[in-house]
Amino acid sequence: MVTAVPGRNDPCPCGSGRKFKACCGRLPDRQRAGEPDEPSEDQTALVDELGELALLIDAGHYLELEQRARRLLSAQPALGAAWQLLGIALRAQSKDPLPALERAAQLLPHDPVAQLNLGNAYGRVGRLREAAISFNRALELRQQFPEAYANLAAVQIELGQFHQAESSCREALKIRPDYTDALRNAAVAQMHLGRNEEAHLNCTRALQLEPDSAATLNALGNVLRHMARLDEAMVCFRRALHLQPDFAEAHVNLANALRSVGQLDAAAASYRRALECRPDFVAAHAELATTLRLQRRTAECEASCARALALDPRHVPALVALAELRADLGHFSAAEEIFRRAIAIDPQAVEPCAGIARLRRLTRADSDWLASACRLIESGGSASRQLQLHFAVAKYFDDTGQYDQAFAHFRRANELSRQCGSVHDRDAMTRAVDRLMRTSSVDMRLSAIAMPDSSRPVFVVGMLRSGTTLAEQILAAHPAVYGAGELSFWSSQAGILTAEAEADTATLATLAHDYLQLLAGLSAGALRVVDKMPTNFFFLGLIHAALPNARIIHMQRNPIDTCLSIYFQQFEAANTYTNDLHDLAHYYREYRRIMQHWRSTLPPGALLEVPYEGLVADPETWSRRMIGFIGLPWDPHCLEFYKAERAVVTASKWQVRQKINNTSVNRWQHYADHVEPLRSLLE
């Protein structure tokens, strides 16, 4: 039996922040104005009983609390405070507290804490608009209620009402300037509004107040991820998980960051850990599906989508993942049908609306789609939301030949993209290329030492949007070739060999062995396996040193066409150079500089240069040349690459399923009035 009952003016043990007499120790409603101020003996006994129940919360004895609250309610079913305590007990045992808290709010219509608790319960089960109503009622009853403001902000964030959420946090912080929940929620709202620096300051301040807060570390990690500071973000998520290993949201956020840097296996493992913590976490199922899709594990992706939709048939992100999977496989009509199903569920959803634009060439007959997309733009929202719509609308105008309007939307999309990422550091890029060129001399000397003689690896490299997907699709149409897509192996391993750590043959041999094992796991029987990670051009010295018999195909395209095509696509925030024409021009020059270095250092026969324009003008000649270069006999299937059933997960998934054409050659001339920063690349 608990005996240390709180005094009537002590803080209530339920955590409401109110005095005990105004919360769980509230006198029964029959004591009215005009009656004696001193409670009766029965009332005093009831207050003592409620106090003992409240103290069971501190002791963590929730089953006993539930049992005693139910006994009390059997005698006094109209006792609102007991219903509140029952709700707390049920919630702590992962039972449904909502009926108890709804009854408490009915019985205590003027109690702001009852409304707060009910709002929290609605929020936990996704009834967000009802939660917002309860929090607003609480604030009507008590204006100086920072918890209600902060929790209302959390719901507003879930509803995408980021300006309102920031305003709610501001009100909470007026009342309690050091309130970490409000600081954290303000940061999340500001992050979605593209104000990353302010978000970072608020998270940092919250963490200073509570250094061991897993929730704040998780929020800070998300802010850093939006700033493209991915390594720091992952440190925050891992610290949060060290403090709270079953923090499912932090597992998902760590997985999102890992996926952003191409560590798909590690990302999938983190999503699965989130699902171990919370098997019914619909968002984790949907994000795992996307990761499996990027790994081209189509059957597993489909299964994850099915699990998400079994839990919530109206979960739009799961429908989006399923639609993208259909598109990867070339089933574009089916993908559009699923996107439209998602739009019918949530007309304000951006991803399915934008997704339709990527499935086919739009025409003026798509005016209804255009009107819907423009309405979504006008409705406002976060920078990350708006930029997707501007890219999609820009594609409509590009497809329909309205190029000035298209470029205006492309420009706006990239302005918003810059708000969601970090500034491109041109000097750092130049230093990185200088370092690679210096260390490559070590790699070249070691390449003369015996290394694995496998000729299975084929690398297709070049700038993004230079035709690497087309080249892979042609090669993979050969029956002896497997197209592995974009493998992140070399970008993740390249840090092993730096200017500060001299290369050695043992390290190179380990890299070669591990890479060949990776290829074997992807396709045990193919004579050649194509890795078309475009940015492997950075690591050609290391690749050749470890795998001297690998063949490297370098795709080249008109530099302005290449840079504009990049500018016209949405990329991960880690690609900091893609949303500014001056940054693109600088990056292209550095790419060209390092490729010239490889031409002068790689041995003859290791590298085949393929002009994109030549390939589309004379596909058979250049296709035969590529097949011969990788040491295989010609096969006519290579000219029918667009019929292949394989999954294609890049932005070119629609284009590479069309017969080869030259519509993208000299495309930049439609935008001649807008490309001044790129013109010097033609010199």
Side-chain angles (χ1 to χ4, degrees), residues 450-476:
M451 285 288 162
D453 60 359
S454 175
S455 56
R456 290 191 80 209
V458 176
F459 295 88
V460 178
V461 302
M463 286 285 290
L464 298 173
R465 311 294 295 162
S466 64
T468 55
T469 301
L470 174 60
E472 183 200 28
Q473 192 81 340
I474 291 170
L475 294 170

Side-chain angles (χ1 to χ4, degrees), residues 319-330:
L319 289 169
V320 169
L322 185 60
E324 294 286 5
L325 177 62
R326 296 286 181 269
D328 292 345
L329 296 168

Side-chain angles (χ1 to χ4, degrees), residues 436 443-444 461 488-495 533 535-545 552 594 598:
L436 282 166
D443 298 341
M444 292 299 104
V461 302
S488 60
F489 179 90
W490 295 98
S491 58
S492 62
Q493 295 293 328
M533 176 63 77
T535 51
N536 277 338
F537 70 76
F538 281 113
F539 316 117
L540 295 186
L542 177 60
I543 288 169
H544 178 75
I552 302 163
I594 198 168
W598 300 134

Side-chain angles (χ1 to χ4, degrees), residues 8-117:
R8 289 179 53 73
N9 289 310
D10 291 339
C12 187
C14 79
S16 67
R18 305 186 74 185
K19 292 182 179 180
F20 176 63
K21 68 181 180 182
C23 189
C24 294
R26 178 190 301 275
L27 292 173
D29 290 342
R30 65 176 176 268
Q31 183 172 337
R32 304 291 184 185
E35 295 185 7
D37 289 337
E38 288 299 318
S40 68
E41 290 184 8
D42 287 345
Q43 291 170 336
T44 300
L46 178 59
V47 169
D48 289 345
E49 173 72 6
L50 289 171
E52 291 179 4
L53 296 186
L55 285 174
L56 291 172
I57 298 171
D58 274 345
H61 297 162
Y62 296 110
L63 178 59
E64 182 183 353
L65 174 60
E66 177 190 354
Q67 293 168 341
R68 291 180 60 178
R70 289 190 187 280
R71 285 199 297 271
L72 181 58
L73 286 166
S74 67
Q76 298 198 46
L79 191 58
W83 284 108
Q84 286 206 69
L85 290 167
L86 176 60
I88 292 169
L90 293 170
R91 163 64 181 160
Q93 298 174 83
S94 299
K95 300 177 183 178
D96 182 11
L98 192 52
L101 294 174
E102 285 178 326
R103 184 66 176 142
Q106 291 168 358
L107 292 167
L108 302 170
H110 303 298
D111 185 347
V113 175
Q115 296 297 330
L116 177 75
N117 289 338

Side-chain angles (χ1 to χ4, degrees), residues 162-217:
F162 302 114
H163 287 290
Q164 297 95 315
E166 186 185 23
S167 177
S168 295
C169 291
R170 193 179 301 118
E171 294 300 319
L173 291 166
K174 286 179 184 176
I175 303 165
R176 192 188 302 171
D178 61 351
Y179 189 16
T180 54
D181 285 2
L183 288 167
R184 183 169 59 247
N185 287 339
V188 173
Q190 290 159 345
M191 175 187 72
H192 283 289
L193 293 168
R195 288 155 47 198
N196 291 326
E197 295 297 337
E198 292 174 75
H200 186 263
L201 285 173
N202 275 321
C203 269
T204 301
R205 183 179 166 202
L207 198 60
Q208 289 169 343
L209 292 165
E210 292 184 0
D212 292 329
S213 167
T216 301
L217 284 163

